[in-house]
Amino acid sequence: MGLVTCKPLRDAERQTRQIDTQIRAENQANKRKVKMLLLGISDSGKSTIVKQMRVNYLDGFNETEVVNAIFVIRNNIIDAFKNIANIILHSDITVLLKLFAHDSGKIEMMQEVDELKVINTIREFKCIQVFFERFATHPMVPDSIHYFFPNLERIAVANYYPTNEDLIHMRQTTLGVHEISFDYTKHTIRLIDVGGQKTERRKWIHFFEGVTAVMFVCSMSSFNQTTEEEPKSFVWESSLNRVQNKVLVRSSGKAKVEKPGMVNRLDESVDLFKSIRENGFLRNSNFMLFLNKTDVLARKLAAINFGDYFPDYKNWVNNDNSVPSVAEFIESMFREGLDSEHRIYSHLIQATVTSNVEFTFGLCCDVIFEKNLDETSLE
Ligand SMILES: Nc1nc2c(ncn2[C@@H]2O[C@H](COP(=O)(O)OP(=O)(O)OP(=O)(O)O)[C@@H](O)[C@H]2O)c(=O)[nH]1
Ligand SMILES: [Mg+2]
């Protein structure tokens, strides 16, 4: 009789223990999950950082992605030449230059062998070579062409197979929201990449809950680039501003723009950061500011005075037009006017260099996980 009542009891006990263990394991797993958001305007380098994480912590890129990259990279090159041709149209006009300037769509539709011929021919043009010597810092020249141009001989062949580095330099605008998940020390990191174009930003707010860290990416080299301002009727930021109930207006430090209605891209980035930083949903998140594209900034500063675009820089303590000094000024633009309790950890990076991203990500994780809350200064 005793045995009959004892067995179900032991079964029940075992079951309870199993459930307890399961709940504990689930709690543990939940505790270790960390949500990180990559934010920033278009072309700042968010997806490049995701690609580096995939190389570092996942399996890199699969066969389909690599094959797709062949077409994307060639289009990157064609698009870049289209911009270049438009810039130098006033000089040595040739039929091929006109083709790039006005009809680059036709080249994309060509059979592969013809497309490769066009790319190879344009590469030989003296004016294109001179262009890179004289106009390399022109705001309309995409950053990726400085990597692809010296590699054209390898790329413009029928059996071209992109390397990891090619994929990292490839430019593909992000549409929608993408997530990768990977293990890092004792944590599982969910890294969310969003599109930075204005029309994409209205989607961001749906991902603001439970964010451990926001990684805001800014392209420092965008200081000489502008975008057209949106018509007043299209207030893309409205949903973000409504949440915080205030619109941030920045007066000092702004760039000079040639025409009214144009917005400097660095100013755009700073203003966007401020509206995100003040957002109520993200009040308790850690903020990491990635001041990106140090290499492109260095190239530009060798030829352009930063103070010609941001006149307030001329009054900066050390205004020697060097990368550290300009980066410090840019960082101060991001910090200006923010509540002192709103800590920001900033890092200078070159997102195209795998080891650089790996190192900086490690520093960020140290802060996030070990609560090493000493103010991190620029490195
Ligand atoms: N030279 C150089 N190029 C960079 C660096 N970081 C990013 N790039 C290039 O800049 C381009 C834009 O980078 P993405 O990562 O696609 O930019 P994004 O912020 O994801 O842009 P959206 O998806 O439009 O929001 C790519 O061609 C990258 O290879 C850098 O530090 N140096
Ligand atoms: Mg992207």
Side-chain angles (χ1 to χ4, degrees):
M1 183 76 182
L3 280 176
V4 177
T5 48
C6 234
K7 189 171 182 303
L9 251 182
R10 250 188 267 128
D11 280 352
E13 255 172 45
R14 200 180 320 122
Q15 232 170 2
T16 314
R17 243 178 301 156
Q18 265 174 357
I19 291 170
D20 281 351
T21 318
Q22 208 176 328
I23 290 173
R24 241 180 286 127
E26 274 169 17
N27 282 347
Q28 191 64 22
N30 282 340
K31 223 186 277 169
R32 290 165 61 194
K33 272 193 194 135
V34 175
K35 182 174 170 186
M36 293 186 183
L37 262 187
L38 276 163
L39 302 178
I41 72 168
S42 186
D43 200 44
S44 55
K46 301 179 292 299
S47 303
T48 310
I49 293 174
V50 173
K51 288 184 211 168
Q52 299 286 18
M53 296 304 171
R54 293 181 57 182
V55 171
N56 277 329
Y57 304 110
L58 295 165
D59 295 334
F61 311 104
N62 64 38
E63 181 81 17
T64 319
E65 288 171 311
V66 178
V67 173
N68 276 333
I70 298 174
F71 302 98
V72 179
I73 288 168
R74 289 204 186 125
N75 280 346
N76 281 175
I77 295 166
I78 292 166
D79 285 346
F81 279 148
K82 177 188 170 182
N83 286 0
I84 292 170
N86 269 314
I87 298 163
I88 54 177
L89 203 51
H90 66 275
S91 58
D92 225 351
I93 302 170
T94 70
V95 177
L96 212 45
L97 269 184
K98 277 189 188 157
L99 183 63
F100 270 107
H102 304 305
D103 288 314
S104 68
K106 277 190 197 156
I107 304 171
E108 284 162 35
M109 302 300 288
M110 281 177 184
Q111 290 297 317
E112 186 182 27
V113 59
D114 296 324
E115 185 196 62
L116 293 177
K117 247 189 249 165
V118 173
I119 292 179
N120 269 318
T121 314
I122 199 122
R123 175 161 75 98
E124 303 297 328
F125 278 4
K126 183 104 184 90
C127 60
I128 292 286
Q129 283 151 16
V130 171
F131 177 89
F132 279 103
E133 284 157 28
R134 286 184 38 204
F135 299 105
T137 56
H138 194 286
M140 294 292 288
V141 180
D143 299 329
S144 61
I145 198 64
H146 294 287
Y147 169 80
F148 289 128
F149 189 68
N151 281 290
L152 274 186
E153 205 167 330
R154 179 172 60 81
I155 294 169
V157 293
N159 61 351
Y160 164 58
Y161 196 76
T163 61
N164 270 3
E165 215 186 340
D166 294 350
L167 269 108
I168 280 163
H169 281 87
M170 179 180 91
R171 171 72 180 125
Q172 194 165 31
T173 306
T174 304
L175 298 176
V177 177
H178 302 262
E179 179 174 331
I180 60 164
S181 178
F182 57 90
D183 288 336
Y184 182 86
T185 59
K186 287 180 254 157
H187 307 269
T188 300
I189 298 195
R190 288 176 61 198
L191 185 64
I192 298 172
D193 180 25
V194 298
Q197 289 182 335
K198 288 183 179 175
T199 45
E200 288 291 311
R201 294 179 202 162
R202 65 186 86 207
K203 300 173 189 164
W204 294 7
I205 195 135
H206 301 289
F207 299 86
F208 280 6
E209 230 174 317
V211 173
T212 309
V214 171
M215 298 180 163
F216 192 93
V217 190
C218 161
S219 161
M220 292 190 290
S221 64
S222 66
F223 75 87
N224 70 337
Q225 295 172 323
T226 46
T227 43
E228 298 289 331
E229 198 167 40
E230 293 299 331
K232 288 273 177 289
S233 56
F234 178 64
V235 188
W236 59 270
E237 264 180 311
S238 59
S239 54
L240 295 174
N241 288 330
R242 216 178 300 127
V243 173
Q244 75 201 35
N245 245 344
K246 65 177 173 186
V247 179
L248 288 146
V249 182
R250 201 160 56 90
S251 52
S252 63
K254 287 243 176 191
K256 252 187 356 204
V257 282
E258 272 170 38
K259 278 194 277 171
M262 291 185 118
V263 182
N264 178 283
R265 286 179 67 80
L266 185 53
D267 272 336
E268 185 190 0
S269 183
V270 172
D271 289 345
L272 179 63
F273 176 79
K274 294 197 176 192
S275 61
I276 300 289
R277 186 63 192 94
E278 299 281 322
N279 189 286
F281 282 132
L282 300 170
R283 189 167 297 128
N284 298 321
S285 309
N286 294 285
F287 267 74
M288 309 291 159
L289 175 62
F290 287 172
L291 297 175
N292 189 26
K293 302 201 185 181
T294 44
D295 60 323
V296 191
L297 179 69
R299 191 187 312 121
K300 286 193 175 176
L301 292 180
I304 308 174
N305 275 327
F306 185 80
D308 291 348
Y309 287 83
F310 285 83
D312 285 0
Y313 176 70
K314 291 179 182 154
N315 306 322
W316 192 243
V317 211
N318 174 16
N319 56 5
D320 61 2
N321 213 42
S322 65
V323 171
S325 143
V326 167
E328 223 176 279
F329 180 82
I330 293 176
E331 194 204 11
S332 79
M333 284 165 57
F334 277 91
R335 288 188 190 277
E336 188 216 317
L338 283 186
D339 215 319
S340 58
E341 70 181 38
H342 285 163
R343 267 170 193 278
I344 309 165
Y345 303 91
S346 30
H347 299 276
L348 295 195
I349 61 160
Q350 183 180 344
T352 43
V353 176
T354 310
S355 57
N356 189 202
V357 175
E358 187 183 10
F359 177 74
T360 311
F361 184 71
L363 290 180
C364 292
C365 288
D366 286 350
V367 171
I368 297 165
F369 302 140
E370 285 156 35
K371 294 281 170 230
N372 169 14
L373 292 177
D374 287 336
E375 191 83 22
T376 310
S377 56
L378 292 173
E379 358 246 304

